[in-house]
Amino acid sequence: MIEMISLSSSMLPLLFVLLFSFSWVTSAHTHVDFIECFSLYLEDSTDISKVIYTQNDSSYPSVLHFAIRNLRFNSTTLKPLVIVTPTNVSHIQAAIRCSQKNNLQFRIRSGGHDLEGLSYMSVLPFVILDLINFRSVTIDVTNKTAWVQAGATVGELYYHIAKKGRTLAFPAGICPTMGVGGHLSGGGYGALLRKYGLAADNVIDAELIDANGRVLDRKSMGEDLFWALRGGGGNSFGVVIAWKIKLVEVPPTLTVFNVLRTLEQNATQLIHRWQYIANKLHEDLMITTYIRRVNSSQGNPTIQATFAGFFLGGVDKLLQLMNESFPELGLAKDDCLETSWIEAIILNRFPGNTSLELLLDRTPRFVTNYKAKSDYVKEPMPEIALEGIFERFLEEDIETPRLLLVPYGGKMDQTSESSSPFPHRAGNIYKIEHQVSWSEEGKEASKRHVDWIRRLYSYMTPYVSKNPREAYINYRDLDIGMNNLAGNTSFKQASIWGRKYFKNNFDKLVRVKTAVDPGNFFRNEQSIPPLSSW
């Protein structure tokens, strides 16, 4: 086999230009062929203008950019020839068939939160299947289950759960604008992680359209493919159009808190201590740590740590647990708020407002340029390591650096690494999301910030997981490895990034891919490769 275009992310700009120029010149009329093909599958061809958008349509820019969440990719020239916004299954089947017939790449978008923009960008000519119209949610209170379509947001799902009662919940993320499709495909987590595990751990059925256009559920797809869907990443096995999820119980009263400490208030020592207790706390209590740069009361830059607590119970019990396990934080009753699960979710995003309708807004509060990376920590970092991070945070030419430290333990320690493709279970104290964001425009600003986070990532090497250096697929990072942009990708090459996301589960993912999509129709820069492409 001849391997084509094996590259590092530093080579992307030049190769993007070369591939883009060639491929798009040769496909100047492809969108016309696609539309002609697609119209053959419509009962009423006049409906096509409600489903398909091309670059000739005045509404094309608004449809494309509505779900772009990273401004690094907002002005890209790597735009789809066609955007399909299906309203029924036949539209998705037609989009698959016509993309295959016209040799077009196929990208699936539910919420647009892919951190590297892979749900709405491709170097080769491509189609976006935008699932914004697939967003129904059906709650079964009696059986404590729900069917949620992949284009719904997490906020829309939470809204419909809350309308049925305040003691049912789902362990997904706290960002309400995330699309359910991508979130569950990569695992998904939130404030209930330590109690109930990942969002994907609570999926009990799914509906998928495969590369042959067949509509499959758990029974007809088989257990191996169902396993792969729950954490193996999106755009590898087919189009998941809906998930059946198991709802979980929460008490009517929860307690939340945010305790802020700067370096001058012993933030370094508190973060260091947090590492020793965060994964050992009672599973009803989760304390996430956010680290960012702020200005002190004297106007000087400093580091601030926010210890954000989420407890499934009342404040008195919480204070008892905190006094036993983390007295150094000095949590007081005045720091705490008793509320419901759904109000805690809303207040996290909309301080001072608990209106349920806020969850239905698909527009993010902030959209900016950013780059993110991830790590897993198995041994507490020494204080000197934390101080090195803070020194880098205080560099003057970097706008907004952040770290998010997510504690594990609880349910995550009790779940096998092989129960789903997501392998990061027992043995991890916490996960890190490294992130830097900036508002300054231009390539120089982008390069400066991306280079900075890569240096930070390099600095972290001695303190994080090794062999492999693990990463979280939903914090997608093309720096850790890529498939070839054209041609085949060997197992050895894909393993570079695949082992980091999935560890030994990568082997089974490849076997499943080979069985269900041997032609590798569903693919992107980090999709699972089939054996046929080794």
Side-chain angles (χ1 to χ4, degrees):
M1 181 190 71
I2 299 175
E3 293 206 8
M4 302 174 63
I5 318 179
S6 180
L7 75 167
S8 68
S9 58
S10 62
M11 298 168 60
L12 281 175
L14 174 60
L15 287 169
F16 271 20
V17 170
L18 294 175
L19 272 172
F20 177 80
S21 300
F22 172 76
S23 60
W24 286 74
V25 166
T26 59
S27 63
H29 58 83
T30 306
H31 80 277
V32 175
D33 297 335
F34 180 92
I35 292 172
E36 290 179 354
C37 173
F38 194 92
S39 65
L40 297 176
Y41 295 95
L42 294 179
E43 293 183 3
D44 184 353
S45 60
T46 60
D47 290 341
I48 199 164
S49 62
K50 302 174 184 176
V51 177
I52 284 185
Y53 302 86
T54 74
Q55 296 183 22
N56 296 327
D57 296 322
S58 59
S59 53
Y60 172 93
S62 62
V63 174
L64 173 62
H65 294 297
F66 177 74
I68 291 181
R69 307 306 188 210
N70 191 341
L71 292 182
R72 283 176 63 205
F73 309 123
N74 205 30
S75 60
T76 178
T77 56
L78 309 179
K79 297 177 180 179
L81 288 171
V82 176
I83 303 171
V84 181
T85 57
T87 58
N88 59 58
V89 166
S90 67
H91 294 158
I92 300 174
Q93 294 167 321
I96 291 171
R97 294 183 184 117
C98 295
S99 295
Q100 292 168 334
K101 181 177 180 179
N102 290 281
N103 196 30
L104 293 170
Q105 296 273 306
F106 195 77
R107 298 298 165 99
I108 306 163
R109 184 167 73 175
S110 55
H113 282 263
D114 187 294
L115 298 193
E116 294 281 15
L118 299 190
S119 63
Y120 49 82
M121 286 201 316
S122 174
V123 172
L124 300 173
F126 73 110
V127 168
I128 288 178
L129 183 76
D130 191 323
L131 296 174
I132 191 169
N133 296 319
F134 270 70
R135 54 205 281 195
S136 73
V137 180
T138 304
I139 308 294
D140 182 344
V141 174
T142 302
N143 294 304
K144 298 177 184 175
T145 62
W147 273 102
V148 52
Q149 289 189 315
T153 63
V154 169
E156 288 170 335
L157 171 60
Y158 289 168
Y159 172 86
H160 289 285
I161 294 173
K163 292 292 282 187
K164 296 294 185 177
R166 299 302 176 98
T167 58
L168 286 178
F170 185 67
I174 60 174
C175 174
T177 59
M178 289 187 300
V180 167
H183 189 56
L184 271 62
S185 293
Y189 75 93
L192 295 172
L193 174 75
R194 302 188 67 250
K195 179 70 172 181
Y196 292 113
L198 302 172
D201 294 340
N202 293 274
V203 169
I204 55 177
D205 203 344
E207 291 183 347
L208 171 106
I209 302 178
D210 70 5
N212 296 315
R214 297 178 300 175
V215 181
L216 306 173
D217 62 8
R218 179 174 182 172
K219 183 178 180 180
S220 57
M221 74 174 69
E223 287 301 303
D224 284 350
L225 178 52
F226 180 67
W227 174 89
L229 298 180
R230 297 177 300 114
N235 210 52
S236 282
F237 306 102
V239 181
V240 176
I241 55 175
W243 304 92
K244 187 179 184 181
I245 58 175
K246 178 177 61 179
L247 303 181
V248 300
E249 293 184 349
V250 292
T253 300
L254 284 69
T255 307
V256 295
F257 64 84
N258 285 298
V259 175
L260 282 57
R261 297 288 188 264
T262 63
L263 293 183
E264 296 75 20
Q265 299 166 317
N266 296 322
T268 305
Q269 292 73 27
L270 289 171
I271 296 168
H272 183 254
R273 175 60 185 155
W274 172 89
Q275 296 178 103
Y276 287 87
I277 58 94
N279 67 320
K280 299 181 178 70
L281 295 170
H282 192 284
E283 65 181 15
D284 287 347
L285 174 58
M286 182 165 177
I287 303 176
T288 305
T289 301
Y290 302 84
I291 301 171
R292 61 179 185 142
R293 186 180 65 202
V294 298
N295 287 327
S296 69
S297 56
Q298 289 77 36
N300 301 316
T302 188
I303 301 298
Q304 181 186 80
T306 300
F307 297 89
F310 187 96
F311 177 62
L312 296 171
V315 65
D316 293 335
K317 178 62 175 177
L318 169 63
L319 292 174
Q320 178 185 336
L321 289 173
M322 291 295 290
N323 287 333
E324 294 171 355
S325 58
F326 198 13
E328 297 88 348
L329 188 61
L331 183 68
K333 195 166 188 176
D334 288 346
D335 298 320
C336 303
L337 173 67
E338 289 188 327
T339 185
S340 67
W341 169 75
I342 194 63
E343 288 178 348
I345 295 293
I346 299 169
L347 287 169
N348 181 74
R349 282 298 185 189
F350 306 96
N353 195 334
T354 57
S355 170
L356 270 183
E357 281 63 34
L358 292 169
L359 295 171
L360 299 177
D361 187 354
R362 296 179 69 101
T363 305
R365 293 174 62 202
F366 306 105
V367 179
T368 186
N369 304 281
Y370 64 87
K371 168 69 178 174
K373 304 175 80 68
S374 62
D375 267 313
Y376 285 85
V377 177
K378 299 177 185 292
E379 298 290 339
M381 289 192 289
E383 286 188 22
I384 192 170
L386 297 173
E387 291 166 355
I389 296 172
F390 303 157
E391 288 175 8
R392 287 158 175 80
F393 268 45
L394 294 173
E395 292 180 15
E396 293 183 357
D397 59 347
I398 299 302
E399 277 192 37
T400 311
R402 297 187 189 89
L403 284 188
L404 170 63
L405 313 183
V406 180
Y408 272 37
K411 185 68 171 180
M412 297 300 283
D413 279 356
Q414 302 160 18
T415 307
S416 165
E417 283 193 2
S418 60
S419 64
S420 77
F422 183 99
H424 316 291
R425 306 287 185 167
N428 291 295
I429 302 175
Y430 59 96
K431 173 174 61 185
I432 301 177
E433 181 191 11
H434 315 271
Q435 189 182 108
V436 63
S437 59
W438 63 98
S439 58
E440 182 181 352
E441 297 181 357
K443 294 181 180 179
E444 192 281 327
S446 181
K447 182 179 186 302
R448 185 171 73 251
H449 286 84
V450 171
D451 287 349
W452 176 86
I453 200 170
R454 288 172 176 164
R455 292 195 302 271
L456 175 66
Y457 186 76
S458 178
Y459 167 80
M460 296 291 291
T461 302
Y463 310 112
V464 297
S465 61
K466 301 171 179 63
N467 301 316
R469 183 172 182 175
E470 298 173 35
Y472 175 39
I473 183 67
N474 273 1
Y475 292 158
R476 193 185 297 280
D477 180 10
L478 294 183
D479 291 348
I480 69 173
M482 289 173 57
N483 296 335
N484 295 323
L485 296 177
N488 295 322
T489 299
S490 70
F491 175 76
K492 180 180 180 181
Q493 179 180 335
S495 294
I496 294 172
W497 59 264
R499 297 274 182 224
K500 294 173 183 176
Y501 288 140
F502 306 114
K503 299 176 70 174
N504 291 334
N505 293 334
F506 183 65
D507 296 347
K508 183 175 179 180
L509 287 169
V510 170
R511 293 196 297 271
V512 174
K513 172 71 170 185
T514 304
V516 303
D517 186 21
N520 204 23
F521 172 68
F522 295 104
R523 65 188 186 273
N524 61 31
E525 287 82 344
Q526 285 186 343
S527 58
I528 305 299
L531 280 167
S532 56
S533 70
W534 287 17

